Amino acid sequence: MTERFPLSRRDFIASAGAAALTSAIAAPALAQSANKPLKIGMVTSLSGPFTALGESMRAGMQMFLAENGGKLAGRAVELIVEDDQAKPDEGVRKFRKLLGQDNVDIVSGVISSAVALAVRDVVTEAKALTFISAGSANDLARKAASPFVFRPTKTNWMLGHTAGLWAYEKLGKTGCMTIGADYAAGREYIGDFVATYQQQGGKVGKQLWAPLGTTDFGPLLTTIAAEKPEFIYSFFAGSDAVRFLRQMREYRLSGKVKLIGGGALFDQEDVVSAVKEAALGGLNTCNQSPTAPSSAAFTKAYQAARNVMPGEMGTAGYVTGQVIKAAVERVQGDLSNKEKVKEALLAREVETVFGPMPFDPRNNQAILDIYVNEIKEGAGGVPVNQVIHTYKAVRDPGPVA
Amino acid sequence: MGFYAVQSLNALSFSMLLLLTGLGLSVVLNLMNFVNLTHGSFFLLGAYVGVYWLASGAPWWLAFPVAFVAAGLAGFLLERFPFRQFYARTHLMQVLLTYGLSVIFADLMRWGFGAQILSPEIPEALRGVVFIMDMPFPIYRLFIIGFGAALAFALWFVIDRTIWGAVVRACVTDRGFVETLGLDTRRIFTAVLVISAGLGGISGALGAGILSAYPGLDEEVLILALIVVVAGGLGTFRGTVLSALLLGFAMTFSKVWVPEFSNVVALAIMAALLVALPEGLVAKKVRQV
Amino acid sequence: MSSIADGTGRVETRPASQRRSLPVTAKLALLALATAVPLLFAGDYQLRFLAEILIIGTAVLSLDLLVGFGGLVSLGHAVFFGGAAYAAAIASQALGADIVVMLAVGIVTGMVAALLMGIVVMRTIALFFLILSLIVGQIVWEVVFHWREVTGGADGLRGFPVLTLHTGFATIPLNNGVALYLASVVLALAAYLAARSFVTAPIGRALLGTRERQLRMSALGYSIPRIRLMALVASGAIAGAAGALYPFVNQYVGPNAVHWTMSAMMIIMLVIGGVGSLYGAFIGSAIYLGIQTYVSSYTDRWQLVVGLVFVLTVMIMPKGVVAGLKAAFGRRKDAERRS
Amino acid sequence: MSANAVPALAIEGVAKSFGGLKVLSDVSVTLGQGECLGLIGPNGAGKTTLFNIVTGFLIPDHGRVAFAGEDITTAKPDVRVRAGLVRTFQKSMAFPELSVRENLALAARSRSGDGYGWFGSRKAVAAADEAADELLTRAQLRERAELLVSGLSYGEQRIVDVLVSLAMRPRVLLLDEPTAGLSRAEGEHLIEVVRTLGEDLSTILIAHDLDIVFGVCDRVAVLDLGRLIACDTPDAIKAHEGAQAAYLGASLGEAA
């Protein structure tokens, strides 16, 4: 079978086709040249489990650019948004496309931590100016920190840690149970919460884990009902969070057991607007709150534009825009020297919708105000995340941890 | 005691949910020998219809017939084109066609209903809980158990105990024979598919109360339903019921005892079942050769 | 002497002398040319993209052995591919990432995974095979997804060494587009030849026999489980080879690589490219990834496009786009001739 | 070894039930070396079930099956086939998408043990093709070698089906209604092919066409409702009253 090479005419057509395809996709790259508009690439999830979050993030960024007349530091901005499907492989492909074919000046976005970790080496190797809007695995500010990757967002530790402080101080020293989504983020949130809470002297009871994408929380809620805890620390996101909160109420646990969680559990746009009253009384620690003073104008504008109060992702898209604007303006639109951009961004804090945002020079991680939100009835009976406490300038332990 | 009683009810209600989703799939597979992977889309469509209906303020109980009609209509149109051309094709081609269609519908529904997670307003009458030896159990889940059992019984009765069921089953084995009786087999097939799609819709409207509605739910539900129907054994109604109960109880009690490994345990049980019984729980008795 | 005919995994039995084909040297030259063209025109990103098309195409090719020739539609195929990818990524941290070592690790992993999966699934057929392979695949995914110490859990693995090639006197790093592209061309070619020799060898014919008439094959003294197992292992070896290179294109591997949706994606690629044609695997992979990467830049509705292309292929070109277009083209030519 | 010492196939007291339905009860019959045994009986008499038991597709509830003196009651089908106990099916089971030569070669390679080769099996392929061509030549079908079976007439498909079995070089061949659906001439041609190509072959032939059975078989066994009611020379069977009654009440003498 080996003495004849298996290339028939059909094969030739196929390979010629491949060649034609290549030159077609290569053509735009060749056309690239002069320094014209400022190209910003954004990779976010427009399909897959984070679709709604991705659409919010994109909307936030677009709102910001529209407010600035589509210009930053005098340069017209061209925003190219790509979909990563919340899949790391796809995310990497899209980052490479933005950098290798669209020749963008800045890449930004990313919701999933896995995508953020996956693209880390790609952008580092390309020395690309990168702004991670939401991916929040602790490692991104620690082992996987990178010189040109800026993180205008929280790490999971910041939220788990502050929740541990708050719970010990205000909710009780014992009678704590945890329940979380059994994947990387859930493990980090719950682990950091438990570490801090225990460090303070608190005692943690039973810890439950639910697989990602759990449809029926009934069995776990019955277990909780039997355990009768004082309060629960929990981390779920997206549809898992919606189902968890609704089923909590179905099983009459909502009023009885105090619930505190990571910001995503009570995300204003993604979760609270879906579960409505079932969220009332819930607590969460988050770097974003629609009622934070720094967010007042943005919340109003977002509500006017999208008919819903902003959650973390919509805000993150906007804040990413704000940080990019600060960086670009501080170097008068000249991004050629990346060291200079970095210096300028680290030099002083950026005023953002999240709150004042200085960057940690060790890992380019934002140092953030973390809000403790309680879901209360707002105007018109709509449940809203109300700030009841602010932990000022929370800083991730960083590379040493 | 109360704990295990409620956990058993949990398992039963989840089994019913699985059964409801599996039933529609099972009906087309059993009666028409057609694999319909768009069933998850019917489910999601029903879920969205239910959510919007319950929010509209119209009488709540109408949500279920409306979801049935909406999904049934979708099924009717699909039956006309392109399902009809694929009845005689291999299962593989049917799988490919309907999976492709489900990808299209997933995107169309995301377009139409948005990507947000939507949860229905459960009607006041179904919101309460009952306490079983001090343990709460939601009335809505009792409603699902009752509704599911009634629907399953009705279906079993029609298919196994009435002339209609016999005619439909005869259609699959010998179309020509049924046609000589003066019956239009094409209409019969259309009717079966509409009922199957409607069942998908109605279970979606019911299930949304627990699962909510969002892009991607169609696929999650489809996978569970497929496992239930295939592991039950093709061509049997009893098998689908048994396997829904098995999977429901396996998933629930693995969550009770080993929540971290619940998916693996439940999947392993289904895998072991198929290894031991390669033709499913209840295999059609066919003589070889 | 026979070669694969279009579409159904049928063997073309006309003697070689009757077939219209070019001499070996011409074929080699054409192939070299086709390989070289992208090197001249494409940048680093495009070459990496082509490398990915070829690597995933190779995995789809291995799936074609099962689907096109054995009638075994597996929703667990990603386990061979992704399992090998993980094995290579993990092994590279201890052994370094020499391409030969990585390929060996991947091939062995793919074969072992296929053997284990085969022992579980070989007694089932048709829909039962589909579902059992799905379940087994998802069990593996659950393990990968939760075993954080080894697989990195949901976050996947990164930060392993780059692919290298020992040439005796120097070690060349294969971490740029050109090198990765060339490596995957070699991989794809070798895999194609191996698959082709498999389907024309007695085992391939026997596999085809089991697809067509299982009972008859038993009556001819063939052991069906043995044939299926051999096909699975051969397929696993090829998928494993592809999987071994996959992590090094992006220096990353995540649990998505073993998820059933990856298997479903491979099936879609295979059907678009042409089931049972072998070469179609690469066409399908190029079309799918092309749509996903380029259409999604213009519209959020790219899944609609993939779905439509897929459904239309199934409906009007069940043998895949190349065979379908050729048939359509052929018909037109026939018509012209007649008129 | 004397040809008559050990029967080619011995079926002893075989019984089989499906659920409550008794399909075979206490059937005993032997097939001598080189003998051609006809197996007749009305539909549902259990003929095919007996074939399935002999070839290992079914395991009997009682009784045993011995092939060339060896007990094979529970052996797997593929083991029996490789030992030389080969069958055909009621429907043509030739592989429609393979060429005629490939069909035969598939059997020849199974026979020679090369059926699972991958690399380096060029010789085995060539040998099997050669064996196939030889058989085709003798059956005067050489010119059909490269056609796909699906493109042949039904009669030719049946012949190919039987040739595939012969390519296994069986010692015992079980033919399950090989002539069904064929014209008289086609049927006779098929039997002719079997007789000329299978020299020292022992055969059991199920056929509804009694002319053929009585014409070619050395002995004829009659099954009715799962029981063996007679087994004798064609002439004796034609005269056998029980057989006549069972066989649709028709007179076997007339049929012959």
Side-chain angles (χ1 to χ4, degrees), chain A residues 325-341:
Chain A
K325 180 184 181 191
V328 175
E329 282 184 350
R330 286 177 194 180
V331 293
Q332 285 83 42
D334 174 19
L335 298 173
S336 51
N337 187 337
K338 283 161 192 166
E339 287 296 342
K340 260 171 90 180
V341 178

Side-chain angles (χ1 to χ4, degrees), chain D residues 88-133:
Chain D
T88 67
F89 295 85
Q90 281 181 15
K91 280 190 211 147
S92 169
M93 282 281 201
F95 302 96
E97 295 294 312
L98 295 182
S99 71
V100 173
R101 179 189 287 126
E102 275 290 346
N103 260 280
L104 270 63
L106 208 51
R109 286 195 298 263
S110 172
R111 166 77 193 153
S112 61
D114 297 317
Y116 306 97
W118 180 358
F119 291 116
S121 38
R122 189 188 307 273
K123 251 186 207 156
V125 171
D129 281 354
E130 208 171 292
D133 282 349

Side-chain angles (χ1 to χ4, degrees), chain B:
Chain B
M1 244 340 269
F3 178 72
Y4 283 103
V6 170
Q7 292 294 19
S8 301
L9 281 175
N10 280 330
L12 197 59
S13 63
F14 190 59
S15 302
M16 274 306 163
L17 208 56
L18 289 174
L19 177 61
L20 280 170
T21 36
L23 271 185
L25 201 61
S26 171
V27 164
V28 269
L29 198 54
N30 295 351
L31 299 181
M32 294 162 59
N33 198 24
F34 182 69
V35 190
N36 181 13
L37 300 193
T38 55
H39 197 70
S41 314
F42 296 142
F43 184 94
L44 185 56
L45 179 65
Y48 277 125
V49 168
V51 168
Y52 278 101
W53 188 270
L54 290 174
S56 71
W60 65 267
W61 49 270
L62 272 175
F64 306 113
V66 167
F68 184 96
V69 170
L73 185 68
F76 176 77
L77 296 174
L78 278 176
E79 202 276 340
R80 281 288 147 94
F81 181 82
F83 286 0
R84 196 171 269 184
Q85 282 79 10
F86 276 71
Y87 289 154
R89 306 284 282 274
T90 59
H91 275 173
L92 171 60
M93 293 312 283
Q94 296 172 355
V95 163
L96 295 175
L97 174 81
T98 53
Y99 180 73
L101 286 171
S102 80
V103 171
I104 293 178
F105 292 137
D107 207 50
L108 286 178
M109 276 192 278
R110 205 195 102 194
W111 202 356
F113 295 108
Q116 287 293 335
I117 308 155
L118 302 177
S119 283
E121 296 284 337
I122 293 182
E124 204 56 51
L126 301 176
R127 272 195 202 174
V129 286
V130 291
F131 283 89
I132 295 161
M133 285 175 268
D134 263 4
M135 300 293 290
F137 188 75
I139 287 179
Y140 189 75
R141 295 196 178 214
L142 286 177
F143 174 67
I144 285 186
I145 295 175
F147 200 109
L151 213 57
F153 179 80
L155 216 55
W156 166 80
F157 186 81
V158 170
I159 292 169
D160 267 24
R161 288 284 176 270
T162 67
I163 180 79
W164 291 108
V167 166
V168 175
R169 269 176 292 148
C171 275
V172 181
T173 21
D174 193 345
R175 259 181 104 149
F177 172 73
V178 176
E179 270 163 6
T180 57
L181 297 177
L183 293 166
D184 186 347
T185 52
R186 284 168 38 138
R187 270 204 207 158
I188 294 172
F189 276 18
T190 309
V192 172
L193 205 107
V194 166
I195 289 171
S196 148
L199 281 172
I202 209 169
S203 45
L206 269 173
I210 292 180
L211 306 175
S212 303
Y214 54 92
L217 178 65
D218 45 353
E219 208 173 72
E220 293 169 26
V221 163
L222 174 68
I223 291 296
L224 286 173
L226 256 184
I227 292 178
V228 163
V229 171
V230 173
L234 304 180
T236 83
F237 191 74
R238 213 154 41 95
T240 307
V241 175
L242 282 178
S243 108
L245 285 170
L246 181 71
L247 187 61
F249 273 80
M251 286 187 86
T252 300
F253 280 92
S254 60
K255 264 183 213 149
V256 175
W257 289 315
V258 281
E260 288 171 79
F261 305 103
S262 52
N263 278 352
V264 174
V265 171
L267 287 171
I269 289 174
M270 296 319 265
L273 172 82
L274 275 174
V275 171
L277 304 167
E279 298 193 1
L281 265 173
V282 182
K284 256 190 193 162
K285 289 239 156 50
V286 188
R287 271 214 277 160
Q288 244 181 332
V289 188

Side-chain angles (χ1 to χ4, degrees), chain A residues 123-194:
Chain A
V123 294
T124 306
E125 199 186 288
K127 295 199 172 57
L129 282 175
T130 308
F131 295 83
I132 298 295
S133 313
S136 57
N138 290 338
D139 258 356
L140 287 163
R142 300 176 189 176
K143 276 191 301 213
S146 165
F148 297 109
V149 176
F150 297 93
R151 300 188 31 76
T153 182
K154 85 279 178 187
T155 64
N156 294 338
W157 177 88
M158 291 173 159
L159 305 193
H161 170 71
T162 48
L165 295 176
W166 180 261
Y168 183 76
E169 207 175 307
K170 305 281 181 183
L171 296 179
K173 324 283 188 231
T174 54
C176 167
M177 257 183 99
T178 67
I179 177 167
D182 193 9
Y183 74 111
R187 291 270 169 185
E188 283 194 359
Y189 272 97
I190 304 249
D192 292 334
F193 165 83
V194 168

